[in-house]
Amino acid sequence: MTWQDRATGALLGTFAGDALGMPWEGAPPDAIPAVLDMEPARLGAGTYTDDTEMAIALAESLVRRDGVDAEDLARAFLAAYDPRRGYGGGTTQVLSLWREGVAVTQAAQRVFDGQGSLGNGAAMRVAPVAVRFHADAGVVSAQARRSAQVTHAHPVGIDGAAAQAAAIAAALYGDDPLAAALVAARTQEVRDALGELATRTEGALEPHLLGDGGGVPSRADRSVAAAVVAGARAGSFEAAVTVAVRAGGDADTTGAMAGAIAGARFGAASIPARWLAVLEDGERGRSHVETLAVRLAERAR
Ligand SMILES: [Mg+2]
């Protein structure tokens, strides 16, 4: 497996997991089939949602600035924004505040009664940061936190992004993603969620163990833990994304995050051809994502 194959796997894995999970967003685990294919939903089979759209914008900004530049990243998110991709409420509000002229560094703190978002919106898009900065765990964490703060002011929302980035970076090296996520996490919430799920799923990686009765919630601590455990423990890319999506609830995002980790672990070549063949292409589709993965991997060398 080449370094480039792993780097491309992290980005295309985000895309494939997102597109596979989209039709099952909000579904309970027992409604989701055991074998997944790209089903038509929202913009059609193989299309991505806000998770991948924001990851593409983050990758473009990282290539341009060679690091997280909050102002440039906010412009990239606004330029990429397509409401049909299904954005979360908090992020939609932050983007509106920027358009109204609120400073990039201020808007994220104004949502959710001044608490900021603790959702998984910063973690779901973080794969490009892991690819670019994987060589130094401290830099991965700092850059992931900086990329998160643009839209997520709550410590759990930021910490989830750092833990997810650490898991992807470890997977790129062939190290244990779960151990790396635990080292990177600073909040009790993210540490507890990772530790509890790791214990609960010891010996059996079952979809119903990754969430609660109704599926995986969109809180960053709970959904990052589900994705990291699936991505770290499953034996193949297909198995990782399948168990993450079948856990239900926020299925597109759990699928995207597990896909990023498993893509980095097993490489882009491990993504089933029947899934890759259906991914949307064109100006901002699959080939653009592959080009961004090459640019980031070159800069990381
Ligand atoms: Mg989504």
Side-chain angles (χ1 to χ4, degrees):
M1 208 184 310
T2 64
W3 152 239
Q4 184 61 61
D5 190 44
R6 287 180 184 268
T8 302
L11 266 60
L12 271 189
T14 301
F15 186 171
D18 179 16
L20 280 162
M22 168 181 51
W24 305 107
E25 199 176 351
D30 55 11
I32 306 173
V35 177
L36 295 177
D37 282 299
M38 294 285 179
E39 307 280 353
R42 207 175 280 153
L43 298 180
T47 59
Y48 57 73
T49 77
D50 57 332
D51 305 52
T52 303
E53 185 156 88
M54 294 191 96
I56 291 171
L58 173 52
E60 290 168 338
S61 180
L62 282 178
V63 167
R64 226 170 9 242
R65 312 297 295 178
D66 204 27
V68 176
D69 172 332
E71 299 282 340
D72 188 78
L73 183 55
R75 278 194 295 274
F77 286 152
L78 284 172
Y81 178 71
D82 176 351
R84 299 174 306 160
R85 302 286 184 180
Y87 281 70
T91 297
T92 304
Q93 280 181 56
V94 170
L95 266 59
S96 296
L97 289 168
W98 292 339
R99 275 190 219 97
E100 288 162 16
V102 174
V104 165
T105 50
Q106 298 295 312
Q109 287 152 31
R110 297 221 189 158
V111 301
F112 296 105
D113 298 323
Q115 302 291 301
S117 172
L118 51 63
N120 51 22
M124 71 188 188
R125 66 183 185 228
V126 83
V129 172
V131 170
R132 171 61 188 87
F133 297 108
H134 72 284
D136 184 325
V139 178
V140 169
S141 176
Q143 291 283 319
R145 289 175 194 280
R146 197 191 275 208
S147 75
Q149 280 161 344
V150 176
T151 50
H152 288 63
H154 194 288
V156 170
I158 296 166
D159 207 32
Q164 168 68 7
I168 301 166
L172 288 165
Y173 269 120
D175 290 341
D176 179 11
L178 182 53
L182 274 163
V183 169
R186 289 182 194 162
T187 62
Q188 204 60 48
E189 288 90 338
V190 174
R191 283 185 191 159
D192 286 351
L194 284 163
E196 201 231 300
L197 266 199
T199 307
R200 199 195 298 175
T201 57
E202 199 91 57
L205 193 56
E206 301 279 350
H208 70 273
L209 294 175
L210 292 179
D212 36 40
V216 179
S218 61
R219 288 179 55 115
D221 49 356
R222 303 286 308 282
S223 59
V224 167
V228 168
V229 167
R233 293 248 181 92
S236 68
F237 182 87
E238 178 162 358
V241 171
T242 299
V243 75
V245 168
R246 290 189 70 219
D250 198 4
D252 59 322
T253 295
T254 321
M257 294 192 295
I261 297 165
R265 258 182 88 199
F266 300 112
S270 74
I271 304 175
R274 75 178 197 282
W275 291 350
L276 280 176
V278 190
L279 294 181
E280 69 176 288
D281 209 347
E283 217 176 300
R284 301 189 67 73
R286 178 182 165 183
S287 42
H288 182 52
V289 171
E290 288 170 338
T291 302
L292 288 168
V294 170
R295 296 242 167 92
L296 290 169
E298 279 169 355
R299 284 180 175 268
R301 225 172 249 129

